[in-house]
Amino acid sequence: MNDIIAFLQRSSYFVLLSRNRNYRSLWLGALISQMGDWFNLIASASLIEQLTGSNVALSGLFLARFLPLFLFSSVAGVFADRFSRRRILIFTDLARAVTVLGFLLVREPGDIWLLYLLTAVQFSLSAIFNPAKSAVIANIVEEEDLVTANALDSFTWSTMLALGALAGGIVADQFGIATAFLADAVTFLGAAFFVSRIRVPATLAQERASASSGGWLDFLDGLRYLRGEPFILIIGLTKAGGSLVWGAINVLEVNFAHDVFPLDGDGELTLGIIYALTGVGTGLAPLLFRRLFGDTPRRALLVIAVGFWFLGPGILALGAAPTFPLYGLATVLRTAGSGTIWVFSAAMLQMIVPDRFRGRVFAFEFAALTLTQSISVYWAGFAQDSLGWSLRAVTVGNGVAALGVAALWSAFALWALSRPALPIPERAPRGRVQEATP
C-alpha cells in the first residue's frame, strides 16, 4: 500500500493537482458537475420512459441535448473571448442549477415539452461553458503541464462516465427521479463554488474586450482568423476527424455489451467494464506518450499521428474480437488512440492560439466535433437498419475509415514537420498568473 501511495504522489496528475490551486479548483468543479450530468441523463431518460414509453420521445431528448451544443458554439466563443472566463463558468453553473430544478415540474405526459425546453436551455448553457473552460486552462496551467491537465480532464470524464451513470441509476431507482434531479442541481452549485476560488488576471478580459469589434463582428473575426491560419484550422478539426469514426463506437459498444458479450444477462456489467477500460486508455496513454515523445507543438503533431494509428487498428480489433477479454484489450488500444488525439490536439491549441482568439477557436472545434459525432452515430444506425450491415461489419467499416483518416493526418504531419518552422502565428504572452485577484 505504501508503494502505491508513493507512486500516486509522484504521478504527474498528483503533482499538478497538489501544486496548482487554480487548476485543482477547476478540476474539482468539473468532477462533481460531470457526475451530475449523468444523474440528469439517467433521470431524464427514465422519466420519458415512465410518462410515454415512446422511443421517438426518447430520441427527442438526445436531439434537445445535441442541437444547442452545435447552434450556440459561435456565441459561446465570442463570450469566452470578450468577457471574464471565470465569471462565465460561475454564471453557467448557477444557471444550470436553477434550470435543472425546473425538471421537477415535469409530472405527466403533457409536460414532456417542458422537459425538452429545459434540456435545451441546460445544454445551451453547457455550450457556453465548454469553450470558456478549455480556454481558461491555458491561463492557469504552466505550458509544460498542459498535456497533463488535458489528460486528467479526459481521464476524469471517462471515470465519471462509469461512476456517474452507475450512481445516477442507483439514486433514481432507490430514491426516485426527483432526488436525482435535486442531486444534479447540487452538483452545479458545488461546481460554481470551486470555480469561484480560481484566480486569473483581471487584465486578460480587459485586453480581450478592448480588441473586440462587438457582436457578430467578433464571430466573423474568429472565422477570418481561422481562414488566415490554415494550420490552426486543421488542428481545430483534428477531434472532428477522429470523432467521424470513433463517435459511432460509443454507441456500438452498448450493443456489444448487451447482445454479444453480456456477462450478467443484460450487459450492464459488461458495459461498466468497458467504461472502466476506456478510463485506462484515455487516462494513461497520453501521459506515456508525453514521457516518450515530449509535448512541444512539433512533437505533438507526431504524437497525434501515433494516436490515429492506435485508433484504427483498435476499432478493427473491436469488430473482430471473438471473446470479451480480447474486446477489452481492443478497447484499451482504441481509447489510447482517441484519448491521445483528444489531449494533444487540445494542448496544442492552448499552446499556439493567441489568448484573444482562444475561446472562438475552441468553440469552432467543439461545434465541428459535435457535428461529425452526430454524423457518425447516424451512419451506424443507418448501416444496420437500412443497409442490413451486422454490428461487426459496421465496426470494421469504421476501423477501415479510421485507417484512412490516420493516413491523411500522417501526410499532413510529415508535411508540417518537413518545414524549418511550423506555420503558426507568433505566440503572444499566454496571460497566465498563478495567484491574482478575480
Side-chain angles (χ1 to χ4, degrees):
M1 178 62 71
N2 290 335
D3 291 339
I4 295 176
I5 294 175
F7 170 77
L8 292 175
Q9 290 176 337
R10 292 194 302 269
S11 71
S12 299
Y13 289 163
F14 184 86
V15 171
L16 174 61
L17 290 172
S18 62
R19 77 183 183 195
N20 190 326
R21 184 176 68 88
N22 282 330
Y23 179 76
R24 183 170 66 249
S25 296
L26 182 66
W27 177 76
L28 287 171
L31 180 74
I32 61 175
S33 67
Q34 286 172 10
M35 174 73 78
D37 286 343
W38 291 107
F39 273 51
N40 182 279
L41 176 59
I42 298 296
S44 297
S46 298
L47 184 58
I48 288 177
E49 177 65 25
Q50 289 181 13
L51 295 180
T52 69
S54 167
N55 290 328
V56 173
L58 188 60
S59 298
L61 171 65
F62 287 92
L63 185 63
R65 294 168 74 95
F66 155 68
L67 283 178
L69 295 175
F70 178 72
L71 296 176
F72 281 85
S73 290
S74 59
V75 176
V78 172
F79 285 172
D81 284 336
R82 191 174 184 186
F83 303 109
S84 165
R85 290 164 183 163
R86 171 180 171 273
R87 292 179 180 175
I88 290 173
L89 298 180
I90 295 172
F91 168 77
T92 51
D93 275 332
L94 293 175
R96 285 185 291 182
V98 174
T99 302
V100 167
L101 290 176
F103 283 74
L104 299 173
L105 301 176
V106 180
R107 298 179 179 178
E108 55 188 39
D111 296 331
I112 291 297
W113 67 270
L114 179 59
L115 185 145
Y116 291 152
L117 176 62
L118 292 171
T119 299
V121 171
Q122 178 188 353
F123 279 81
S124 298
L125 294 165
S126 295
I128 296 172
F129 176 93
N130 290 325
K133 176 177 178 286
S134 295
V136 83
I137 288 176
N139 298 139
I140 62 176
V141 173
E142 299 281 359
E143 185 168 303
E144 60 267 23
D145 290 327
L146 284 175
V147 170
T148 301
N150 285 282
L152 183 55
D153 273 359
S154 177
F155 181 75
T156 302
W157 179 88
S158 299
T159 303
M160 289 302 101
L161 171 62
L163 298 181
L166 175 62
I170 292 174
V171 169
D173 180 64
Q174 298 296 319
F175 303 101
I177 292 174
T179 303
F181 286 136
L182 287 171
D184 188 22
V186 171
T187 64
F188 282 125
L189 293 176
F193 166 75
F194 282 112
V195 172
S196 70
R197 296 168 59 85
I198 296 174
R199 298 295 180 263
V200 295
T203 55
L204 285 179
Q206 296 168 359
E207 291 170 0
R208 290 194 298 268
S210 65
S212 169
S213 302
W216 280 100
L217 293 179
D218 282 345
F219 172 64
L220 295 176
D221 283 344
L223 293 181
R224 282 193 289 267
Y225 171 77
L226 285 170
R227 185 180 63 183
E229 300 290 346
F231 181 83
I232 291 179
L233 175 62
I234 292 175
I235 303 301
L237 290 171
T238 302
K239 289 180 187 174
S243 180
L244 197 59
V245 292
W246 80 52
I249 304 303
N250 295 327
V251 177
L252 295 175
E253 64 190 5
V254 177
N255 300 123
F256 273 104
H258 288 274
D259 302 332
V260 182
F261 304 117
L263 297 180
D264 58 351
D266 61 3
E268 293 302 326
L269 177 59
T270 304
L271 194 59
I273 294 174
I274 291 173
Y275 288 157
L277 293 173
T278 295
V280 172
T282 57
L284 298 183
L287 295 183
L288 174 62
F289 287 134
R290 180 197 178 196
R291 181 178 293 273
L292 292 175
F293 296 99
D295 54 9
T296 64
R298 294 182 69 87
R299 293 298 181 92
L301 281 174
L302 177 61
V303 175
I304 292 171
V306 172
F308 274 113
W309 287 111
F310 271 63
L311 178 65
I315 295 176
L316 287 173
L318 290 176
T323 64
F324 182 62
L326 290 177
Y327 187 91
L329 289 175
T331 295
V332 174
L333 181 65
R334 195 263 308 176
T335 55
S338 60
T340 298
I341 295 165
W342 187 283
V343 167
F344 277 84
S345 62
M348 194 170 182
L349 289 176
Q350 289 162 351
M351 292 178 194
I352 66 178
V353 176
D355 186 72
R356 67 190 183 94
F357 287 112
R358 197 175 290 142
R360 280 165 287 182
V361 169
F362 275 110
F364 169 82
E365 180 202 45
F366 192 70
L369 167 70
T370 305
L371 179 61
T372 57
Q373 187 166 25
S374 299
I375 293 172
S376 182
V377 170
Y378 175 79
W379 156 252
F382 177 80
Q384 292 181 87
D385 294 342
S386 300
L387 302 181
W389 289 25
S390 68
L391 175 62
R392 290 188 182 275
V394 175
T395 306
V396 170
N398 273 51
V400 173
L403 294 179
V405 176
L408 290 174
W409 175 268
S410 297
F412 164 72
L414 289 174
W415 168 81
L417 292 172
S418 67
R419 300 167 64 93
L422 295 181
I424 58 178
E426 183 176 351
R427 293 161 65 188
R430 296 174 60 247
R432 183 201 55 77
V433 173
Q434 194 65 16
E435 303 293 339
T437 57

